[in-house]
Amino acid sequence: MMRVHRPLGIGSMLLCHPFSAYLVGSRAASGGRRQGDNNGSSSLEPSASTWRKPEPGRLKLNFDGSSKHGASRRASISGVYRDHEGGFVLGYAERIGTATSSVAELAALRRGLEVAVANGWRSVWVEGDAKTVVDVVRSRARVRAQEDLRLCGEIQALLPLLDDMSVSHVRRQGNPLAHGFAKLGHGAARPRVWRDVPADEVHRFLQRDAEGR
């Protein structure tokens, strides 16, 4: 698992090891590595193609950011929390105006971490289909654009508030529920949150993940 440790200055976070100072891999009590665990080493688990359940006692966040192609670059963010049985806990979606795809993905992750902190969820497995963003969290990539840097700083500030966070990459076909919520975000007049029961428009994706398809 990855655990939060003493924060460094934002300058160190952005220029050296963006998140590895906070997220340190360790093995689960059973002696094996938890799904999604990674400590920034060169030995990375392969990207999954289907959704996987978290362990009992943990919640899993799948996040997604969407930026329309073309001059408008209208963007939305979304995320969905599920429990160890695959049960829907919470989903969110909202428009964020004009943004690049990387800004949308980082903003989606930031909102998901804010949701965890607000609800007191301390053990979270985070998963997204934007490999660059996942690699930033794994300290294997850097960001340079000003807005990306700002969002990284805000994500960094949230990490000490979590006791146990792991991160993994999933291929796009394994992230349909978060993608469906992102589509809803484009049409949302205001930020939306669903608790316990997902939006009707994405229910089929929840069922598909539960069946492991």
Side-chain angles (χ1 to χ4, degrees), residues 2 13-14 16-21 23 37-45 47 131-144 167 169:
M2 297 181 175
M13 185 276 295
L14 296 175
C16 297
H17 303 290
F19 295 96
S20 60
L23 309 178
D37 288 353
N38 182 268
N39 62 1
S41 68
S42 59
S43 178
L44 295 177
E45 63 178 16
S47 298
K131 193 169 188 305
T132 299
V133 172
V134 171
D135 283 346
V136 166
V137 179
R138 286 173 163 175
S139 302
R140 296 178 60 82
R142 300 177 183 177
V143 295
R144 300 184 183 278
V167 61
H169 176 255

Side-chain angles (χ1 to χ4, degrees), residues 13-61:
M13 185 276 295
L14 296 175
L15 297 178
C16 297
H17 303 290
F19 295 96
S20 60
Y22 295 87
L23 309 178
V24 179
S26 64
R27 294 190 179 277
S30 63
R33 184 174 291 278
R34 281 185 171 186
Q35 288 183 316
D37 288 353
N38 182 268
N39 62 1
S41 68
S42 59
S43 178
L44 295 177
E45 63 178 16
S47 298
S49 297
T50 58
W51 188 80
R52 299 161 294 169
K53 297 177 182 178
E55 297 85 352
R58 302 187 90 195
L59 291 178
K60 185 175 182 182
L61 166 66

Side-chain angles (χ1 to χ4, degrees), residues 46-52 127 169-176 208-209 213:
S47 298
S49 297
T50 58
W51 188 80
R52 299 161 294 169
E127 188 170 73
H169 176 255
V170 65
R171 299 184 188 278
R172 189 169 182 80
Q173 63 264 35
N175 203 33
R208 194 188 82 172
D209 285 347
R213 293 187 284 121

Side-chain angles (χ1 to χ4, degrees), residues 80 88 177 181 194-203 206:
V80 56
F88 181 85
L177 189 56
F181 273 109
W194 295 260
R195 290 183 178 274
D196 300 323
V197 179
D200 291 339
E201 295 90 334
V202 300
H203 194 272
L206 182 66

Side-chain angles (χ1 to χ4, degrees), residues 96-114:
I96 60 170
T98 300
T100 64
S101 59
S102 64
V103 165
E105 294 283 0
L106 287 166
L109 172 57
R110 178 198 61 188
R111 177 69 77 238
L113 296 180
E114 289 172 342

Side-chain angles (χ1 to χ4, degrees), residues 174-193:
N175 203 33
L177 189 56
H179 182 62
F181 273 109
K183 286 185 175 180
L184 293 178
H186 279 292
R190 62 184 184 278
R192 298 190 62 187
V193 175

